[in-house]
Amino acid sequence: MTVIVTAVFTPKDGAFDAVAAALAPAIAEVHKEPGCQLYAVHEAPNGQIVMIEKWDSAELLDAHGAGDAVARLNASLEGLLREPVEVTRLTPMPAGTAHQGEL
């Protein structure tokens, strides 16, 4: 079963661009990982950066979390965030059409 993840990054004042720059290489790297269906970054109106992810399985997501790309990303974010990254795992609840009812 697929797993959807949101990761919310809250940059310190004046660090938005640095956080966005730190995320860019990680995105390209993670797109190549097994099981990654979606790994997309978005700017929220409140100044947070929200990553939306979709993985083939919890096991592949766990491997991603323990991998080098995440370790490098965490190191590059050192001192740039106001609070720890808020990561939430979601389980799809399909409804409606197959195309529109599930991420």
Side-chain angles (χ1 to χ4, degrees), residues 13-94:
D13 290 340
F16 182 92
D17 290 341
V19 172
L23 289 168
I27 292 168
E29 198 173 353
V30 172
H31 283 170
K32 298 175 187 172
E33 291 183 12
C36 178
Q37 293 185 29
L38 178 70
Y39 198 76
V41 66
H42 300 78
E43 181 178 350
N46 65 357
Q48 291 177 312
I49 297 174
V50 180
M51 179 77 68
I52 301 173
E53 308 175 30
K54 184 175 183 179
W55 292 88
D56 285 341
S57 69
E59 293 78 20
L60 291 169
L61 172 59
D62 291 341
H64 157 72
D68 292 340
V70 171
R72 280 190 289 279
L73 174 59
N74 288 339
S76 69
L77 292 170
E78 188 83 23
L80 297 176
L81 300 176
R82 191 170 354 135
E83 56 192 56
V85 179
E86 181 182 331
V87 178
T88 305
R89 289 186 184 209
L90 307 168
T91 303
M93 297 173 55

